[in-house]
Amino acid sequence: MSTEIINNKSNSIINEDVSSQMKEELKERAERNRQKALLLKNSKLVAHPYAKGENDESSKGRAIKLQGKRVVDSGGGFLIEENDELEQQMVKIVTEPAPFISLLPRCNDCNKEFKDSYLLQTFDLEVCDACRDSKDKHSLITKSEAKQEYLLRDYDFDKREPALKYIVRKNPHNPRWGEMKLYLHLQIEQRALEVWGSEEKLLEEKEKRDLKREETKIKHFNKKIKRLRMQVRSSLYNKTTKADHVHEFGEETYNETDDTYSHTCLSCGYDETYEKM
């Protein structure tokens, strides 16, 4: 019997502790809900700073007298006293003006802010009009000259990101010819460095192409010379030959010194020298 009494006492003590903890939790939850309602009320007042005062009919409609006290309906299911101490302890929300952020571009040369410039509008280059040097640093170059001097392709102008800006002008040599595309020389140099990696590699590639160009010119020249020699020799042959005689040539021989071939007529002994293309 003693053990049952002890167990009952312990169970009653545990139940009392649980009930007290539940009461404390309920009190804390009610207090949190009350503070949320106060925050909701203040947020509404801040959201409508130009709302009318207490003497207005709309604000009086929300006020209710309960047990001799003036309370306000928060709209969240709670009645709040107007002179509640928690309202005085609430942190006042102060609205400060947003900081001014400058969005004006800065010149790459003088590092000064400017509103607008010709180079910024035309070529997306952040340089003011005072620092613009159209004859030297910011000179223009045609697309054909840029391709020849910097060995660029059409892909490097239009497809490679970012695409290069340009302006269109009429050809000064003949207005009936096609229009010219003029690019900023400074941006062309930067694009050439992106393509070739360095100025030294660009110069090496130009030398290689110049050598190939010279070799092809020499080959074409030699072919023309051979063609002229054959034409001269064929004309001489027609003058010296007789109409009633037909040569019968023997085996041809090759002359390595002048890269020519020769054969002799078996009947009249005529010796003919010629070249092969």
Side-chain angles (χ1 to χ4, degrees), residues 82-94:
E82 285 188 343
N83 57 352
D84 202 317
E85 294 181 357
L86 289 175
E87 292 185 10
Q88 299 177 0
Q89 296 176 1
M90 292 294 294
V91 178
K92 294 183 179 180
I93 300 175
V94 180

Side-chain angles (χ1 to χ4, degrees), residues 90-152:
M90 292 294 294
V91 178
K92 294 183 179 180
I93 300 175
V94 180
T95 57
E96 297 181 355
F100 177 75
I101 301 175
S102 177
L103 299 177
L104 294 177
R106 285 186 175 273
C107 179
N108 294 336
D109 293 345
C110 63
N111 200 24
K112 293 181 180 179
E113 292 183 351
F114 64 96
K115 294 182 179 179
D116 198 5
S117 69
Y118 173 79
L119 293 176
L120 181 62
Q121 282 188 356
T122 310
F123 299 103
D124 288 340
L125 185 66
E126 294 185 356
V127 174
C128 63
D129 289 331
C131 298
R132 178 188 171 193
D133 184 10
S134 59
K135 294 183 179 180
D136 186 13
K137 187 174 182 179
H138 304 115
S139 60
L140 302 178
I141 184 173
T142 63
K143 187 175 184 179
S144 58
E145 291 175 349
K147 293 171 72 174
Q148 183 178 359
E149 184 175 354
Y150 296 97
L151 307 181
L152 298 177

Side-chain angles (χ1 to χ4, degrees), residues 233-250:
R233 287 173 181 171
S234 62
S235 63
L236 292 175
Y237 167 74
N238 292 332
K239 290 180 181 179
T240 55
T241 55
K242 295 180 180 180
D244 55 351
H245 178 70
V246 178
H247 295 292
E248 294 180 1
F249 295 101

